[in-house]
Amino acid sequence: MLKLPAALQAFANALEREGVTLYAVGGCVRDALLNRAVHDVDLASRLRPDELIERAKANGIEARIVQQTLGTVLLSIDGTDFEHTTFRTESYGTGGTHRPDAVRFSDSPETDAFRRDFSVNALYESVSDGTLVDPTGGRADLERRVLRTTTKDPAVILRDDGLRILRLVRFAASLDFSVDPGTWEAAKANAALLKDVAWERKRQELDRILTGPRVFDALTMLRDVGALPYLLPELTACDGVEQKKAYHRYDVLTHLFHTCENTPQELGARLIGLLHDVGKPEALMRDGKMYAHDVYGTEIARTMLERLRYPNALIGRVCGAIRIHMFDLTEEAGDATLRKRFASFGRERTEDLIMIREADVRGSGIRTGFVAERWRGIYEQMLRERAPFSESELNVSGEDIMRELGLPPGERIGRIKHRLLLRCAVHPEENRREILLKRMHDCI
Ligand code: ATP
Ligand code: MG
């Protein structure tokens, strides 16, 4: 049974005395039955929004409407918000927005359940006494660990809102459930419907898939269900592209999935892992080799991320890492070279570079020996030594340089600063004004 605040329980008891049952529904009931952490509790009953607000207020509970058409009301109890939706049925037009074009309130969980996506997401638990209402067989599916649509004909559910195909993949991965064969076939047959779903909605699901567990399995499902052309179309060109057997066990797409799974569970890192080699098919097509794939890949990734409406800072970070991910591929660079490059890249890109090199090697399925460990050691030593990671961290200014060297403003000053930065990357103890004023004479 769910653990709920006493004030909510008291409210449910008061409603029960009037013959109205208040239910917890959806993810919270599912997760509690699976002994997983419950993060937010959604409520439902047959009360219309205004009726609920009136009764909540009479019981000293703050309540306000947040969505008129869907009848969503927010109850605020002990500082926590609970979303209440009135039981309803929905009908959808064909194609288009994948949003319901008509919503009708209804009176029972039995009707409400069939507008929800999967049976395990359509379980209702009475807040007052914990009774479970299970109109679509969700309990049995939970026990079998299977995702199945609420309706007998899965196509109805998946056709109405293409986003449900992505939700299916997300839940399969996050719950570690299998997918009922009928549901899977219908998802495959309807994958093209994702074409009409807004990029922002698709991106929200993608973010949750990428930052969730079992990301390799989830990405493989996205490929197999046929969702990639409508989500990350440029990745489809990587499917089946073979690579040099000496360095890679997998084709490009499978390698990208493995690399993604080997990055930390954080969106930026996951996107870098997933997209770092996206330029390989184009590089191969242009010159029969893959040498310049970092350059092509940077621009292809930018197109993909802009289409998905990612913020510019994140796009800059991901593309920046893709651009430099081939740095010192032969792994021959000595300590001084590494220090200079790290200082030029700055802290964030250096951290991403080390991260992607490690994930890339792990994701190859063949290469071992982690140059990334050596790189990380050098980088951490630079941090301990307080080495500068940009010209602005030097303890001299452009003014100082102009005065000391008698030079006018111009690009030359920037070049001198850069040389001083490289010098201090190797000799951090020299980042002191009096020393730099002398050193700059050798940098002209
Ligand atoms: P979690 O919050 O852990 O991701 P959840 O099941 O609570 O899982 P939400 O997206 O919070 O998922 O939605 C709450 C409930 O609303 C779901 O359990 C499901 O019953 C219903 N629901 C949400 N989005 C859709 C959708 N696109 N189609 C059908 N039902 C949906
Ligand atoms: Mg939820």
Side-chain angles (χ1 to χ4, degrees):
M1 218 172 114
L2 275 163
K3 280 198 195 69
L4 296 167
L8 180 60
Q9 214 110 39
F11 180 45
N13 293 340
L15 291 178
E16 199 70 49
R17 283 192 290 276
E18 291 185 46
V20 175
T21 304
L22 180 67
Y23 292 97
V25 61
C28 60
V29 181
R30 177 198 69 213
D31 290 341
L33 286 168
L34 289 169
N35 285 321
R36 293 164 58 94
V38 170
H39 46 88
D40 57 3
V41 174
D42 294 320
L43 302 169
S45 77
R46 67 174 165 79
L47 290 178
R48 307 307 190 244
D50 46 336
E51 296 174 322
L52 177 80
I53 291 174
E54 188 196 310
R55 284 171 178 73
K57 290 194 172 152
N59 283 272
I61 291 173
E62 235 179 273
R64 64 193 165 85
I65 189 129
V66 287
Q67 226 284 357
Q68 193 71 46
T69 19
L70 300 181
T72 313
V73 170
L74 219 53
L75 300 180
S76 183
I77 297 173
D78 301 341
T80 307
D81 284 340
F82 295 85
E83 220 175 78
H84 175 280
T85 45
T86 305
F87 296 142
R88 65 177 193 258
T89 58
E90 290 173 351
S91 55
Y92 290 78
T94 49
T97 62
H98 295 243
R99 301 275 202 187
D101 58 8
V103 167
R104 201 167 302 165
F105 292 138
S106 67
D107 289 320
S108 72
E110 283 76 12
T111 47
D112 186 73
F114 293 96
R115 61 130 181 128
R116 296 182 182 270
D117 45 12
F118 306 110
S119 66
V120 296
N121 288 347
L123 288 162
Y124 300 72
E125 184 181 310
S126 156
V127 173
S128 64
D129 67 8
T131 308
L132 203 68
V133 178
D134 176 14
T136 68
R139 191 71 212 257
D141 287 337
L142 265 190
E143 262 144 40
R144 297 190 301 143
R145 303 180 74 82
V146 167
L147 284 163
R148 195 177 51 79
T149 50
T150 48
T151 52
K152 282 232 156 44
D153 178 2
V156 177
I157 287 294
L158 298 170
R159 213 190 294 134
D160 281 348
D161 178 5
L163 195 77
R164 292 168 180 168
I165 295 168
L166 302 186
R167 286 174 57 88
L168 178 71
V169 171
R170 167 158 71 85
F171 288 122
S174 67
L175 302 172
D176 197 11
F177 275 25
S178 61
V179 178
D180 166 76
T183 296
W184 183 249
E185 287 311 312
K188 265 168 51 178
N190 287 288
L193 291 176
L194 279 165
K195 183 161 61 67
D196 301 322
V197 178
W199 287 102
E200 286 84 353
R201 288 183 81 206
K202 290 194 269 198
R203 189 194 108 191
Q204 269 181 5
E205 285 302 321
L206 178 65
D207 287 358
R208 298 183 71 176
I209 289 172
L210 288 179
T211 53
R214 273 175 285 279
V215 66
F216 177 83
D217 292 345
L219 289 166
T220 305
M221 286 181 79
L222 287 179
R223 180 194 67 194
D224 293 348
V225 83
L228 287 184
Y230 313 102
L231 192 63
L232 298 157
E234 289 80 358
L235 278 186
T236 56
C238 301
D239 198 359
V241 174
E242 292 303 329
Q243 316 197 71
K244 279 206 179 113
K245 290 288 173 222
Y247 306 109
H248 283 283
R249 177 182 300 169
Y250 312 112
D251 70 283
V252 176
L253 188 63
T254 313
H255 165 63
L256 289 173
F257 291 176
H258 278 295
T259 305
C260 182
E261 180 154 273
N262 278 292
T263 59
Q265 225 171 330
E266 173 259 312
L267 184 61
R270 289 273 154 108
L271 286 168
I272 294 167
L274 180 63
L275 302 180
H276 75 280
D277 278 346
V278 70
K280 278 186 171 172
E282 179 157 347
L284 198 60
M285 195 178 65
R286 290 205 189 202
D287 62 13
K289 300 191 183 70
M290 290 178 174
Y291 293 152
H293 75 263
D294 47 352
V295 180
Y296 300 127
T298 304
E299 289 322 305
I300 297 171
R302 189 182 310 284
T303 305
M304 299 170 83
L305 297 170
E306 282 175 356
R307 185 192 294 131
L308 285 159
R309 319 275 193 270
Y310 279 108
N312 287 335
L314 185 69
I315 297 177
R317 177 183 161 197
V318 174
C319 293
I322 294 175
R323 185 66 190 80
I324 63 170
H325 84 272
M326 305 233 294
F327 167 68
D328 190 28
L329 219 50
T330 50
E331 301 178 351
E332 288 163 345
D335 289 18
T337 305
L338 290 170
R339 281 175 167 264
K340 288 178 192 170
R341 294 306 288 269
F342 293 171
S344 308
F345 290 149
R347 292 183 189 78
E348 186 183 65
R349 286 179 85 193
T350 298
E351 284 166 24
D352 281 341
L353 172 68
I354 298 171
M355 178 281 295
I356 185 61
R357 178 58 52 84
E358 183 166 0
D360 196 358
V361 170
R362 287 186 199 279
S364 72
I366 284 185
R367 279 154 71 204
T368 51
F370 295 106
V371 78
E373 275 170 30
R374 184 178 145 238
W375 289 4
R376 187 167 287 121
I378 291 169
Y379 172 64
E380 281 170 3
Q381 191 179 348
M382 287 175 76
L383 291 179
R384 279 195 302 277
E385 294 167 351
R386 298 183 183 282
F389 280 87
S390 77
E391 283 82 359
S392 65
E393 293 173 24
L394 289 171
N395 284 317
V396 278
S397 65
E399 302 272 302
D400 291 330
I401 297 174
M402 287 187 273
R403 204 177 316 115
E404 178 69 23
L405 300 177
L407 292 172
E411 276 179 28
R412 235 177 130 187
I413 307 301
R415 283 200 296 273
I416 293 171
K417 271 190 177 178
H418 188 66
R419 283 191 202 118
L420 290 174
L421 174 69
L422 300 183
R423 171 88 202 167
C424 291
V426 186
H427 302 284
E429 71 283 0
E430 291 191 8
N431 188 14
R432 285 172 31 210
R433 192 178 142 80
E434 65 277 16
I435 300 181
L436 294 175
L437 286 174
K438 284 190 205 131
R439 283 273 173 243
M440 64 180 64
H441 289 276
D442 309 327
C443 294
I444 311 175

